[in-house]
Amino acid sequence: MLRYFRHIGPSAVFAVFFGALLLRLPALFTVTASPETLNGVVFEPFFNTVRQWPWLSLLLGFLVVFSQAMLFNRLCNLHDVLYTPTFMPAWFFILANSIFPENLHINPLMVSNYFIIGSFAFLFRMHQSDQSPKLLFYAAALLSLGSLFVTEYLMASLLLLIATIIFKNVGFRDLLAIVTGTLIPLGMIWSFYYLNNQHFDFPIPKYNLKIKFDTAVLRFIALTYFFALAFSGLLKSGLHYFKNNIKTRRINLLSVTFFVFAIFIMLLKIDHLRLYTTITNCGLALFAGYFLLGEKGLRLKGLLHSILILLLLLSLYGDRLRDWLF
């Protein structure tokens, strides 16, 4: 099955589309209510309204994730993030957003990935150092907007500083671009609310640091297995680090930095783990796809991929299957 995603072309696009559709199609017949979304987020009334129609929530979730997968895949191919053009990042982005049933529905964390992918689009061009202030400004502005859904993205300003160090020496204009890019969007949003005589409440994070395990152990096995593939991809990337050109090396370092940052946020929000795995999609897709890419050990890689698909299906529909059988 992996062979459909190893190349680029119309057939690979159709494979990603129908693969994502088949993963979600059973949910239309097994889901009777949309799961709870996060409270205190921007556009909360919209998400609460959509929850009243599970089929609409699933449809919007599918459209959002598929469009993000295509954008992320194009970005990876455009900047040679992997050593060959492929649709593996798109396919594994779809799989990463299919670990828990909550991930199938439209939710604020899913929407926030647009801002992450958009910031990558600017940061991946940082090898053009003469444009770095402008690129950093736009990347900071997108992450600032993303903080309306995931407040912790405000800390990404520190990551932008690390990103600058990865690509070039840090200058005053770079620091100014990061600060202004972070503050200006928030100031504009506050001004809009103020002019319309409305009160703007910035989402304030709360940390319980208590994980809620349920009886669906297979869901956490699927999560652990996916992360094991991603960390194997990280190891493979490290072993092949000096085989890549300088641009790809720096982009890989940047990707690792953001992946670690996303995992850190996920652990801070461990009481909502099943929702917050969504923000790790880019890292999971990139490194798990990288690990299973290549011509060596095709049978083993195909087996590992098949196990992943099986675990995801059991995670999504295992409860329904158990009720049907017993």
Side-chain angles (χ1 to χ4, degrees):
M1 185 178 179
L2 274 177
R3 67 179 184 274
Y4 295 111
F5 311 107
R6 292 179 182 277
H7 60 88
I8 56 173
S11 61
V13 177
F14 284 115
V16 172
F17 179 83
F18 286 109
L21 191 63
L22 290 175
L23 279 172
R24 286 156 172 74
L25 195 60
L28 291 173
F29 307 99
T30 59
V31 175
T32 57
S34 301
E36 294 288 338
T37 187
L38 298 173
N39 296 322
V41 296
V42 178
F43 304 124
E44 182 178 352
F46 167 77
F47 293 106
N48 289 335
T49 301
V50 172
R51 281 183 53 244
Q52 299 177 19
W53 295 283
W55 63 269
L56 179 60
S57 179
L58 289 167
L59 176 61
L60 290 176
F62 168 75
L63 294 176
V64 167
V65 171
F66 180 74
S67 63
Q68 289 175 349
M70 291 295 103
L71 290 172
F72 183 63
N73 196 87
R74 182 180 183 278
L75 195 61
C76 291
N77 289 338
L78 183 64
H79 292 281
D80 300 321
V81 179
L82 301 179
Y83 54 84
T84 182
T86 176
F87 265 88
M88 294 285 275
W91 175 237
F92 278 88
F93 191 96
I94 297 290
L95 296 182
N97 212 88
S98 307
I99 298 176
F100 298 114
E102 291 88 341
N103 301 152
L104 302 183
H105 297 263
I106 186 72
N107 62 70
L109 300 176
M110 183 185 296
V111 175
S112 72
N113 278 333
Y114 279 118
F115 299 101
I116 297 300
I117 295 172
S119 66
F120 281 158
F122 292 106
L123 293 174
F124 284 179
R125 295 164 54 193
M126 280 285 290
H127 64 284
Q128 301 170 332
S129 58
D130 57 322
Q131 299 182 18
S132 62
K134 179 171 67 174
L135 298 175
L136 285 168
F137 175 85
Y138 289 128
L142 287 170
L143 289 170
S144 180
L145 292 173
S147 69
L148 297 176
F149 299 94
V150 183
T151 312
E152 289 76 11
Y153 284 162
L154 283 176
M155 294 187 295
S157 299
L158 297 175
L159 288 184
L160 294 178
L161 181 60
I162 296 174
T164 310
I165 295 172
I166 289 173
F167 285 95
K168 60 183 290 292
N169 294 326
V170 181
F172 175 76
R173 293 177 61 200
D174 299 320
L175 296 175
L176 185 62
I178 293 173
V179 173
T180 55
T182 301
L183 295 179
I184 287 177
L186 296 180
M188 293 177 64
I189 293 170
W190 181 85
S191 300
F192 174 81
Y193 275 82
Y194 179 79
L195 292 174
N196 287 277
N197 295 318
Q198 296 177 342
H199 181 65
F200 174 62
D201 292 320
F202 196 85
I204 301 176
K206 297 179 181 180
Y207 306 110
N208 293 325
L209 301 181
K210 293 181 180 179
I211 187 169
K212 300 176 182 178
F213 285 103
D214 55 21
T215 56
V217 179
L218 280 174
R219 289 175 180 166
F220 293 95
I221 293 177
L223 176 66
T224 304
Y225 183 79
F226 211 133
F227 268 95
L229 291 179
F231 287 130
S232 299
L234 274 171
L235 178 61
K236 178 182 176 181
S237 176
L239 293 174
H240 295 171
Y241 180 77
F242 291 103
K243 295 182 180 180
N244 299 319
N245 57 46
I246 295 177
K247 174 186 173 182
T248 302
R249 292 179 199 173
R250 292 174 176 174
I251 288 178
N252 283 336
L253 287 175
L254 177 65
S255 302
V256 171
T257 303
F258 268 82
F259 188 36
V260 172
F261 176 63
I263 293 175
F264 173 72
I265 297 176
M266 184 185 71
L267 293 177
L268 283 179
K269 295 287 190 175
I270 202 166
D271 54 319
H272 295 292
L273 177 68
R274 288 160 59 157
L275 280 173
Y276 272 86
T277 55
T278 304
I279 67 175
T280 64
N281 281 0
C282 291
L284 286 174
L286 181 60
F287 295 111
Y290 180 73
F291 178 64
L292 297 181
L293 185 63
E295 300 300 324
K296 295 182 179 179
L298 288 179
R299 291 185 179 180
L300 177 59
K301 291 176 180 177
L303 176 62
L304 294 174
H305 176 254
S306 298
I307 292 173
L308 176 61
I309 298 294
L310 177 61
L311 288 175
L312 292 180
L313 289 173
L314 289 174
S315 174
L316 293 173
Y317 307 112
D319 290 345
R320 294 291 178 176
L321 181 62
R322 181 188 59 195
D323 295 340
W324 182 69
L325 291 176
F326 303 103

